[in-house]
Amino acid sequence: MIQTDHVVYSIDNANILEGISLHVPKGALVGILGPNGSGKSTLLKCIYRVLKPTSGAIFLDGTELSHISPKEAAQKLAVVAQHNFSNFDFTVEEVVLMGRSPYKKALERNTQRDTAIVRESLERVGMENFSKRSFLTLSGGEQQRVILARALAQQTPCLVLDEPTNHLDIKYQLQLMDLIHALDQTVFMALHDLNIAAMYCDKLYVVKKGQLVGEGSPKSLLTPSFIREVYEIDADVMETSTGQLHVLYHPAH
Ligand code: ADP
Ligand code: MG
């Protein structure tokens, strides 16, 4: 379970987050939407502790983050960040193995179990044939799947992802979302594609200019008037006979 309570994040007296309170129930797949620059990544960074909120509190399974050691937090929460820049030349296998480090003492050797978990995690994202390849030589989409494998190898109850489908073509977008949907972990993810959000999320939050402007099920939230209010565009929202929601955008001209 992930909970944020009036989280404010300011830089140079500008509020980037203006008091965000939300709740991701255990086992749920919850999405956060909002235009570019609305504060999604900043909120996620506060949750995965790259940033410290100016005020407010964040709870992981009921315990406030500041009361949890970094190592303990890494056993509870895995992250797929938006940008995974790295200049270090690791193999794919080594990158995924890093997911096991929260369970190790300094310089402790990898066990057969670690190796098995790494292999299984790579299989789940369809990257098992790349284990000896240099991470830097992979395409953006392949790198994204390896970073997800690392997060899976971490075997945490909670998973936070920042626009994980960004570099993927449609096949891998759906494959990755199917995989995430099938996890029994608690998942909180920033998304920019309303159709992907509608297809997979149990619940959505929407931020704009650092404020929460909407929350609810995809069906209750994603109406043409709300889409206009948030994204300043016109759209139709259709529902298929199987109950699948589709957002159809109108061109601006
Ligand atoms: P999103 O992920 O929704 O696109 P971000 O959380 O990345 O949005 O950014 C929210 C806003 O905060 C943007 O206007 C961005 O320019 C600003 N911002 C983020 N980090 C910094 C920083 N270190 N210094 C100044 N402004 C920042
Ligand atoms: Mg972002």
Side-chain angles (χ1 to χ4, degrees):
M1 189 268 275
I2 303 167
Q3 196 179 340
T4 74
D5 187 12
H6 293 93
V7 169
V8 173
Y9 185 78
S10 324
I11 297 177
D12 305 332
N13 296 323
N15 281 355
I16 292 174
L17 298 174
E18 304 212 21
I20 305 283
S21 299
L22 52 76
H23 176 227
V24 184
K26 191 171 186 294
L29 171 44
V30 176
I32 181 161
L33 300 171
N36 288 334
S38 56
K40 302 179 295 296
S41 295
T42 304
L43 178 66
L44 295 187
K45 283 175 191 165
C46 289
I47 294 172
Y48 63 79
R49 304 223 285 199
V50 163
L51 297 176
K52 192 175 181 319
T54 309
S55 65
I58 297 171
F59 300 88
L60 262 189
D61 286 337
T63 311
E64 220 222 296
L65 267 191
S66 54
H67 297 159
I68 308 174
S69 74
K71 189 165 176 166
E72 224 180 315
Q75 294 178 6
K76 286 185 187 291
L77 181 86
V79 179
V80 176
Q82 192 163 19
H83 304 286
N84 292 288
F85 296 118
S86 160
N87 291 316
F88 296 107
D89 199 9
F90 291 109
T91 65
V92 163
E93 202 170 37
E94 286 165 340
V95 170
V96 180
L97 202 48
M98 288 170 201
R100 301 304 302 157
S101 60
Y103 300 98
K104 294 192 179 309
K105 299 191 186 75
L107 302 179
E108 190 181 324
R109 282 176 168 274
N110 300 313
T111 61
Q112 278 188 343
R113 180 152 181 275
D114 292 325
T115 313
I117 290 170
V118 166
R119 192 184 329 113
E120 191 217 308
S121 303
L122 280 170
E123 277 168 12
R124 285 170 77 185
V125 301
M127 289 295 289
E128 67 275 19
N129 295 329
F130 290 70
S131 59
K132 302 295 178 199
R133 271 276 290 279
S134 150
F135 181 76
L136 296 178
T137 66
L138 301 179
S139 73
E142 289 163 349
Q143 288 188 347
Q144 193 70 342
R145 286 151 70 199
V146 170
I147 296 299
L148 177 66
R150 182 181 68 186
L152 296 177
Q154 216 170 314
Q155 297 191 324
T156 54
C158 301
L159 190 57
V160 165
L161 307 101
D162 198 348
E163 303 198 6
T165 58
N166 260 5
H167 303 286
L168 304 178
D169 68 38
I170 188 65
K171 172 181 163 182
Y172 288 118
Q173 284 187 36
L174 297 178
Q175 201 174 78
L176 183 109
M177 290 303 299
D178 280 336
L179 196 159
I180 291 168
H181 185 71
L183 298 173
D184 49 18
Q185 284 154 294
T186 304
V187 182
F188 187 45
M189 64 198 309
L191 287 168
H192 69 281
D193 186 317
L194 303 188
N195 283 304
I196 294 274
M199 229 180 282
Y200 291 98
C201 292
D202 302 317
K203 182 177 180 179
L204 298 172
Y205 285 97
V206 182
V207 282
K208 187 170 185 179
K209 295 180 181 156
Q211 293 184 335
L212 214 51
V213 294
E215 66 176 280
S217 68
K219 224 165 267 186
S220 67
L221 197 63
L222 296 177
T223 61
S225 62
F226 185 69
I227 292 169
R228 161 138 277 287
E229 182 190 321
V230 175
Y231 291 96
E232 294 152 25
I233 54 151
D234 290 317
D236 286 321
V237 179
M238 316 284 244
E239 196 177 329
T240 66
S241 56
T242 55
Q244 182 59 60
L245 222 58
H246 287 285
V247 179
L248 306 171
Y249 303 107
H250 296 190
H253 53 273

